[in-house]
């Protein structure tokens, strides 16, 4: 017995190997062509013929083979344009060569490359590509072009073309190797060389490997009959192609024909011989392969395994893999009975035997743990020259065993199920009207045994409105000859309660179509009806709530499909409920697509986690017309039957955002007015401070002019100009700080160095205060280099607080006039900045209303009373707190906090 193996399976592994072999062969051909061309380029005669110096490959032939090899590699890589461009070179060379030979003309292109080196050889047509290389260019070029353009040539034709070229190259190589040195007849007439033959052979084998591989040869060798055929075929394939070449030599030496007809006869003879052999081999292999594939596929779908004498698996069919779950790669090499944990059906501990030609029942375990009942038949197969194998034919009889077991349990399960679900089984004989109940059925339905024994007693217990409905159902079933019918009705219990039941009956008819009896089952559904009624009441109440709730409400499932849409939602989105129900929520709010970032609402729906108490989601709504509006969404998550349901309450924030925007603009205007007010109060000091550098600049420039008029040393003039420039820059710096402070702009929150921000504001305030002997000291924490804030607004707060302290200290006598600016870390996220002075402090009655508008600490109504109020709003907008208190040692301290930033530095 011979068992075939599915050829499709090894081909999945062999195909990549064959293609790697094809690429390697094509690369070898390219390397040979380049090496031979280097023989001409470097003037190395031995390299031109690969040792046969009398038989070189011509330069144009080298170029043609290089282009042909590149065309092969490009076709393998799928580079169609490169393939066509590279193959154009050998096609052109072959066309010119054949034209010159058959027309007897000389176009003068043969000796364009290396004319001096070509003169070293004594051939009639120096440099002209021979007939065999030209034929190889055309045949193999056509195969490569067909590989690139798949619809041009079938795979079999491409392989056949490569086989023809292989025969031509083999014949040429044999003639070259057996030619005598100095023979001037064989090579010119054969018109090829050893490098050309090697390149042709490698490219032909490459085409065969890429398009078909060598699986056919493996299949031939498996059959002893085919092995005998190959012993004849292979020598014939090697010898027959030589005969045309020998004939060519004989005709040429006898001078029976001229060179061109002899060459044509030689080429046609080679093509005829090789084509005949190839056609015979391909058709024979294809015919036998078709039969083997059909047989292999038929065998492989069965549940079968082959093992060696020790029980190790050597073949595992697709049917076995499907039944047991182990693939062929996993099963091969393992012991069959150990892999499947086989045991005999008769005993748990008995191990399976391996009887030859016998049958045994086994219980084997699949990969997923299932136990499968198997009938196994084994047969020993011995083939000469090969190790014997055991064929295991396995039949799955699990269904039969399972059916027997299930049949035994069926009645038990039916009895248990009837009692568990309180199902009452009955039989009604139509002719007599008698109704019989299964044991315990009446009690399960709340009836006293014997209450309903016939049709009349049943009718007496049923509510009148249900009797007509049931009778009409039975009459309709009889008219339609329906095999079964369903019913639902209510009957009165002895205690006056109403009980609801539903069920179905199997209708049995006589030969004339008359109903003779029914067998049915009924179930008490009283509790279910009560729950359904309660559910309907709750649904009605919920619909009432949905219609009256003032906020827009909608319910969305976990897929984003809208399930509920309230009347308020219709007004908000300008959509009717029937237009959105069943559609995705993306029609109401922008939803991310593709690589777009998730919105908070889409992320919430995707995560399915409930929000914290009081937490809301900021989102964007989209009306019917596409207009967008801001909205605030409160959401809850419920799980119903394993699925998530989201309830969303949406509120339009358009009016709120507009009001906040107007308020923000008003606050910015007030802050700007505050800065203008502060600078107006500092105007006199600023004028005095600016007058000093400007006057000094004027004096320095006047002195420089005088020195120039007197012709003094240029170094003194330069020094005067440098000192004037310094005073000008000083005045410019004062103006820059003033302009930066008073300029109105948008809020710019960013990482801001704390030290420079405070010092710039202090320098601005201290202009013109030197005559008051006020000392300003800093105690800033170097571990807190930056804050996240608006630089101008923070400086406005510092200016307001420092101005208040300076105004108080101006009115205080004595020399102890001190202001201290310090910073320290108040928490992990905030830094506290303190501005303390040595003044008299803040009156206690004023501390409570210090930050109210139009409340001023300056005497004689010197201020507008809005500086501290604006400062408090600025700090609170930054997430901080502004406070004030009196120091125990005297003076007042103002303290405010700002968020810390870890980025940047001073």
């Amino acid at each position: 017995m011979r068992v075939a193996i599915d050829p499709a399976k090894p081909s999945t592994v062999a195909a990549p190997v064959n293609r790697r072999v094809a690429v390697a062969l094509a690369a070898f051909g390219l390397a040979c062509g380049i090496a031979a061309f280097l023989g001409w380029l470097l003037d190395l005669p031995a390299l031109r013929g690969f040792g046969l110096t009398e038989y070189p490959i011509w330069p144009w032939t080298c170029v043609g083979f290089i282009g042909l090899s590149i065309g092969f590699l490009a076709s393998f890589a799928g580079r169609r344009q490169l393939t066509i461009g590279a193959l154009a070179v050998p096609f052109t060379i072959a066309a010119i060569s054949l034209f010159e030979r058959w027309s007897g003309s000389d176009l003068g292109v043969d000796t364009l490359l290396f004319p001096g080196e070509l003169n070293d050889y004594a051939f009639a047509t120096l440099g002209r590509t021979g007939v065999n290389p030209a034929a190889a260019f055309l045949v193999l070029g056509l195969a490569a072009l067909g590989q690139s353009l798949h619809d041009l040539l079938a795979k079999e034709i491409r392989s056949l073309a490569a086989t023809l070229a292989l025969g031509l190259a083999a014949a040429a190589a044999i003639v070259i190797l057996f030619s005598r040195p100095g023979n001037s007849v064989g090579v010119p007439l054969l018109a090829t060389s050893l490098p050309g033959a090697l390149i042709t052979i490698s490219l032909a084998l490459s085409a065969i490997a890429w398009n078909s591989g060598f699986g056919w040869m493996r299949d031939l060798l498996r059959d002893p009959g085919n092995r005998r055929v190959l012993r004849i075929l292979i020598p014939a394939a090697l010898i027959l192609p030589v005969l045309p070449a020998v004939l060519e030599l004989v005709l040429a030496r006898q001078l029976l024909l001229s060179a061109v007809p002899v060459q044509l006869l030689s080429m046609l003879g080679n093509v005829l011989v090789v084509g005949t052999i190839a056609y015979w081999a391909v058709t024979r292999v294809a015919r036998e392969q078709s039969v083997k594939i059909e047989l292999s596929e038929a065998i492989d779908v069965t549940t079968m395994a082959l093992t060696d004498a020790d029980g190790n698996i050597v073949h595992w069919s697709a049917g076995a893999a499907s039944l047991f779950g182990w693939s062929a790669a996993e099963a091969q090499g393992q012991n069959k009975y150990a892999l499947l944990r086989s045991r005999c059906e008769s005993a748990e501990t008995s191990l399976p035997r391996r009887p030859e030609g016998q049958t045994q029942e086994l219980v084997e375990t699949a990969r997923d743990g299932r136990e499968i009942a198997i009938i196994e038949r084994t047969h020993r197969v011995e083939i000469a020259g090969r190790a014997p194998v055991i064929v295991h034919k396995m039949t799955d009889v699990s269904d039969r065993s399972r059916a027997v077991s299930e049949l035994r349990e069926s009645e038990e399960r039916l009895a248990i199920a009837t009692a568990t679900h309180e199902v009452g089984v009955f039989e009604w004989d139509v002719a007599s009207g008698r109704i019989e109940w299964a044991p315990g059925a009446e009690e399960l339905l709340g009836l006293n045994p014997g209450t309903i024994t016939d049709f009349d007693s049943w009718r007496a217990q049923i509510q009148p409105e249900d009797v007509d409905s049931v009778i009409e159902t039975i009459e309709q079933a009889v008219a339609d000859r329906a095999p079964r019918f369903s019913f639902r009705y209510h009957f009165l219990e002895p205690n006056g309660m109403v009980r609801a039941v539903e069920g179905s009956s199997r209708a049995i008819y006589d030969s004339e179509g008359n109903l003779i009896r029914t067998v049915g089952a009924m179930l008490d559904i009283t509790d279910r009806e009560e729950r359904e009624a309660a559910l309907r009441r709750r649904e009605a109440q919920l619909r009432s709530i949905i219609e009256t709730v003032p906020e827009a409400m909608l319910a969305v499932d976990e897929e984003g499909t809208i399930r509920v849409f309230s009347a308020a939602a219709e007004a908000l989105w300008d959509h009717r409920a029937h237009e959105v129900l069943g559609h995705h929520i993306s029609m109401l709010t922008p939803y991310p697509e593709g690589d777009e970032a998730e919105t908070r609402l889409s992320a919430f729906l995707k995560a399915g986690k409930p929000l914290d108490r009081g937490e809301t989601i900021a989102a964007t709504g989209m009306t019917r017309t596409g207009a967008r509006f801001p909205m605030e969404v409160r959401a809850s998550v419920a799980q119903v039957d394993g699925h998530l349901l989201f309830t969303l309450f949406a509120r339009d924030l358009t009016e709120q955002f507009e009001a906040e925007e107007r308020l923000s603009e008003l606050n910015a205007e007030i802050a700007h007015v505050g800065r203008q007010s502060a600078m107006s109060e500092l105007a006199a000091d600023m004028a005095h401070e600016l007058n000093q550098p400007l006057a000094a600049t004027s004096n320095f420039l006047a002195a420089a002019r005088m020195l120039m008029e007197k012709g003094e040393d240029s170094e003194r003039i330069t020094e005067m100009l440098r000192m004037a420039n310094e005073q000008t820059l000083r005045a410019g710096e004062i103006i820059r700080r003033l302009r930066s402070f008073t300029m109105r702009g948008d809020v710019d929150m960013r990482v801001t160095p704390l030290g420079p921000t405070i010092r710039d504001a202090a320098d601005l305030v201290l202009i013109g205060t030197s005559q008051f002997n006020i000392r300003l000291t800093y105690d800033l924490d170097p571990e807190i280099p930056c804050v996240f804030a608006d630089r101008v607004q923070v400086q406005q707060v510092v200016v307001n607080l420092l101005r208040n302290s300076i105004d108080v200290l101006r009115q205080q006598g004595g020399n102890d006039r001190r202001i201290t600016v310090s910073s320290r870390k108040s928490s992990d996220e905030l830094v506290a900045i303190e501005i303390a002075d040595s003044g008299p402090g803040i009156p206690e009655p004023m501390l409570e209303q210090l930050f109210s508008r139009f409340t001023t600490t300056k005497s004689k109504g010197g201020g507008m009373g809005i500086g501290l109020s604006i400062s408090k709003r600025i700090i609170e907008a930054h997430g901080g707190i502004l406070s004030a208190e009196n120091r125990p040692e005297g003076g007042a301290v103002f303290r405010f906090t700002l968020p810390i930033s870890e980025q940047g530095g001073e």
Side-chain angles (χ1 to χ4, degrees):
M1 177 179 178
R2 184 173 182 274
V3 179
I5 307 300
D6 187 357
K9 290 187 177 180
S11 66
T12 59
V13 178
V17 175
N18 290 340
R19 298 198 168 191
R20 287 196 294 269
V21 170
V23 172
L25 288 171
F28 174 76
L30 177 61
C32 289
I34 295 174
F37 191 78
L38 289 176
W40 291 95
L41 190 65
L42 303 178
D43 195 14
L44 300 174
L47 194 58
R48 301 169 189 170
F50 287 1
L52 302 178
T53 57
E54 295 185 2
Y55 307 143
I57 183 173
W58 302 127
W60 281 116
T61 307
C62 284
V63 173
F65 276 118
I66 291 173
L68 186 62
S69 301
I70 294 175
F72 263 73
L73 293 173
S75 68
F76 295 158
R79 304 288 297 275
R80 177 175 297 185
Q81 297 297 329
L82 180 58
T83 301
I84 295 173
L87 294 179
V89 176
F91 282 160
T92 304
I93 295 174
I96 294 174
S97 174
L98 295 177
F99 174 78
E100 289 179 335
R101 286 184 178 274
W102 292 341
S103 66
S105 60
D106 187 358
L107 300 179
V109 298
D110 299 338
T111 58
L112 288 179
L113 296 178
F114 308 105
E117 289 80 355
L118 289 174
N119 291 328
D120 296 337
Y121 298 93
F123 294 116
T125 54
L126 291 175
R128 181 175 298 175
T129 300
V131 176
N132 270 3
F137 287 169
L138 296 177
V139 174
L140 291 178
L142 185 61
L145 189 62
Q147 171 64 35
S148 180
L149 307 174
H150 298 287
D151 54 350
L152 183 62
L153 291 176
K155 182 183 294 186
E156 292 78 6
I157 302 299
R158 298 197 296 268
S159 297
L160 182 58
T163 305
L164 294 176
L166 179 63
L168 294 174
I174 292 173
V175 172
I176 291 173
L177 293 176
F178 287 95
S179 295
R180 296 187 308 273
N183 185 357
S184 61
V185 178
V187 174
L189 294 178
L190 193 58
T192 188
S193 60
L194 183 58
L198 290 177
I199 298 173
T200 303
I201 291 172
S202 64
L203 294 180
L205 291 175
S206 175
I208 295 173
W210 184 271
N211 290 290
S212 61
F214 300 95
W216 59 273
M217 187 169 290
R218 290 195 299 269
D219 293 332
L220 283 174
L221 293 174
R222 288 175 180 167
D223 193 342
N226 287 335
R227 287 200 294 270
R228 288 193 300 271
V229 173
L230 287 178
R231 283 197 291 268
I232 300 173
L233 178 62
I234 292 176
L238 296 176
I239 294 174
L240 289 178
V242 181
L243 295 180
V246 174
L247 178 62
E248 175 189 3
L249 293 175
V250 171
L251 293 176
R253 292 183 177 183
Q254 298 297 327
L255 300 177
L256 298 178
L257 294 173
S258 61
V260 173
V262 168
Q263 293 169 3
L264 291 177
L265 288 176
S266 175
M267 183 181 68
L268 293 176
N270 276 314
V271 172
L272 180 63
V273 170
V274 177
T276 302
I277 295 174
Y279 175 77
W280 177 85
V282 170
T283 54
R284 178 181 177 88
V285 170
R287 184 167 55 254
E288 294 186 2
Q289 187 70 6
S290 176
V291 176
K292 292 177 183 179
I293 291 175
E294 293 176 358
L295 178 61
S296 177
E297 291 179 350
I299 293 176
D300 201 49
V301 297
T302 63
T303 307
M304 183 198 70
L306 300 181
T307 64
D308 57 17
D310 297 328
N312 298 321
I313 298 172
V314 296
H315 174 66
W316 188 254
S317 71
S322 175
L323 177 63
F324 294 106
W326 276 283
S327 65
E330 296 171 329
Q332 288 178 359
Q334 300 196 48
N335 186 277
K336 187 253 183 188
Y337 295 126
L339 175 67
L340 302 180
R341 290 176 282 174
S342 306
R343 69 174 190 275
C344 291
E345 179 70 24
S346 57
E348 290 290 333
T349 57
S350 60
L351 297 176
R353 298 169 290 109
R354 281 184 289 175
E356 297 181 5
Q358 299 183 21
T359 302
Q360 60 180 340
E361 293 189 11
L362 301 175
V363 176
E364 298 183 319
T365 305
R367 183 172 188 171
D368 57 5
R370 293 180 296 109
E371 289 192 342
I372 304 174
I374 295 293
I375 294 180
E376 182 184 70
R377 297 177 179 85
T378 59
H379 180 74
R380 185 181 181 90
V381 179
E382 295 185 2
I383 300 176
R386 298 181 59 183
V389 295
I390 309 298
V391 180
H392 299 257
K393 177 66 177 68
M394 297 166 283
T395 303
D396 183 6
V397 294
S398 300
D399 293 339
R400 186 188 68 181
S401 301
R402 194 179 302 111
V404 173
S405 176
E406 291 177 354
L407 183 61
R408 289 195 298 264
E409 299 174 357
S410 177
E411 293 183 358
E412 298 178 4
R413 290 199 301 267
L414 178 60
I416 295 173
T418 301
T420 302
H421 296 283
E422 299 181 349
V423 177
V425 180
F426 67 92
E427 181 179 357
W428 173 37
D429 184 79
V430 178
S432 63
R434 186 177 69 256
I435 298 176
E436 295 182 357
W437 299 87
E442 293 173 283
E443 289 87 343
L444 292 175
L445 299 175
L447 299 173
N448 295 325
T451 302
I452 299 178
T453 58
D454 53 24
F455 185 79
D456 292 334
S457 60
W458 170 81
R459 185 168 188 166
Q461 295 291 328
I462 303 304
Q463 289 187 346
E465 58 270 20
D466 292 338
V467 174
D468 295 339
S469 175
V470 175
I471 293 176
E472 182 180 353
T473 300
I474 296 174
E475 291 176 349
Q476 185 64 44
V478 173
D480 298 338
R481 292 293 297 273
R484 61 182 56 82
F485 59 89
S486 300
F487 53 83
R488 182 171 183 170
Y489 57 82
H490 303 79
F491 64 85
L492 299 174
E493 292 183 322
N495 58 6
M497 299 290 292
V498 177
R499 186 172 292 271
V501 296
E502 72 174 4
S504 61
S505 291
R506 177 72 167 85
I508 302 173
Y509 304 93
D510 59 14
S511 58
E512 298 179 357
N514 298 317
L515 182 65
I516 56 176
R517 69 189 181 98
T518 66
V519 178
M522 62 177 62
L523 180 67
D524 185 358
I525 61 168
T526 303
D527 294 339
R528 191 179 74 185
E529 275 202 344
E530 293 177 354
R531 290 194 298 269
E532 290 176 352
L535 180 60
R536 287 193 296 271
R537 291 192 297 269
R538 287 196 297 270
E539 288 179 349
Q541 184 179 12
L542 178 59
R543 282 195 298 271
S544 176
I545 294 173
I546 292 174
E547 296 303 324
T548 56
V549 68
E551 291 186 351
M553 193 278 285
L554 63 156
V556 181
D557 62 18
E558 56 191 359
E559 301 296 332
T561 304
I562 302 171
R563 298 302 180 188
V564 178
F565 200 66
S566 69
E570 292 182 350
L572 179 60
W573 273 284
D574 193 23
H575 279 289
R576 303 284 74 79
H578 68 274
E579 296 173 347
V580 299
L581 292 178
H583 291 78
H584 196 265
I585 194 175
S586 58
M587 72 180 299
L588 303 179
T589 181
Y591 220 72
E593 296 181 0
D595 297 332
E596 294 182 9
E598 292 274 1
T599 62
R600 282 201 62 198
L601 183 57
S602 64
F604 165 72
L605 296 177
K606 184 177 181 180
K609 296 181 180 179
L611 300 176
D612 295 335
R613 186 178 183 86
E615 184 179 0
T616 60
I617 298 174
T620 301
M622 187 165 57
T623 65
R624 178 200 296 269
T625 61
R628 301 193 177 193
F629 59 89
M631 62 179 181
E632 179 184 71
V633 178
R634 290 179 291 110
S636 63
V637 184
Q639 192 167 19
V640 181
D641 297 332
H643 298 281
L644 296 179
L645 185 66
F646 302 90
T647 303
L648 309 178
F649 290 89
R651 183 167 65 90
D652 188 358
L653 298 179
T654 302
E655 296 182 357
Q656 178 180 334
F657 278 15
E658 291 176 352
E660 291 178 354
E661 184 176 0
R662 290 193 298 269
L663 181 60
S664 176
E665 293 175 354
L666 182 60
N667 286 333
E669 184 67 27
I670 293 175
H672 180 65
V673 170
R675 290 196 296 272
Q676 295 286 356
S677 174
M679 295 315 301
S680 66
E681 295 178 9
L682 291 172
D685 294 337
M686 293 289 289
H688 176 269
E689 191 69 15
L690 283 173
N691 183 61
Q692 182 178 355
L694 292 177
T697 301
S698 176
N699 292 334
F700 288 137
L701 291 175
R705 186 180 61 187
M706 293 174 60
L707 292 175
M708 293 173 63
E709 291 175 351
K710 293 180 180 182
E712 294 289 338
D713 187 7
S714 61
E715 292 184 0
R716 295 187 58 191
I717 298 173
T718 301
E719 180 64 18
M720 292 294 104
L721 293 177
R722 184 189 61 79
M723 296 172 67
N725 183 58
E726 289 178 354
Q727 295 301 317
T728 304
L729 292 177
R730 176 185 171 190
E733 180 65 18
I734 295 172
I735 295 173
R736 183 193 63 79
R737 292 175 181 174
L738 176 63
R739 180 181 179 185
S740 175
F741 181 73
T742 58
M743 183 174 58
R744 180 180 178 181
D746 296 332
V747 176
D748 184 14
M749 299 291 290
R750 63 174 61 190
V751 177
T752 302
L754 181 60
T757 300
I758 293 176
R759 294 178 187 273
D760 287 350
D763 291 344
L764 188 64
V765 176
L766 291 176
I767 292 174
T769 61
S770 57
Q771 68 273 23
F772 298 108
N773 195 25
I774 297 176
R775 292 185 295 113
L776 177 63
T777 59
Y778 297 97
D779 184 16
L780 301 179
D781 189 348
E783 299 296 328
I784 310 174
C786 295
V787 294
F788 188 72
D790 183 290
R791 179 184 180 93
V792 174
Q793 290 191 351
V794 172
Q795 288 181 339
Q796 182 176 354
V797 173
V798 174
V799 167
N800 286 337
L801 299 180
L802 286 175
R803 282 181 55 248
N804 289 341
S805 297
I806 290 173
D807 288 342
V808 172
L809 294 177
R810 279 177 176 178
Q811 302 172 14
Q812 178 179 323
N815 295 324
D816 189 15
R817 298 177 179 177
R818 289 177 292 102
I819 299 177
T820 303
V821 180
S822 60
S823 66
R824 59 182 176 80
K825 195 173 185 179
S826 63
S827 67
D828 293 338
E829 300 178 353
L830 295 175
V831 57
I833 297 96
E834 295 183 353
I835 298 177
D837 59 51
S838 59
I842 304 171
E844 291 296 332
M846 189 177 293
L847 280 174
E848 298 180 358
Q849 54 181 356
L850 185 62
F851 297 103
S852 300
R853 289 190 176 181
F854 309 115
T855 300
T856 179
T857 60
K858 300 177 181 179
S859 61
K860 300 180 182 180
M864 297 176 60
I866 62 172
L868 291 178
S869 175
I870 293 174
S871 299
K872 182 176 178 63
R873 288 180 175 273
I874 289 174
I875 296 302
E876 290 177 349
H878 283 71
I881 298 174
L882 174 62
S883 61
E885 61 182 11
N886 289 320
R887 303 166 63 194
E889 63 273 20
V893 58
F894 286 83
R895 182 181 299 107
F896 62 92
T897 58
L898 292 173
I900 298 175
S901 173
E902 298 295 336
Q903 303 180 9
E906 290 194 21

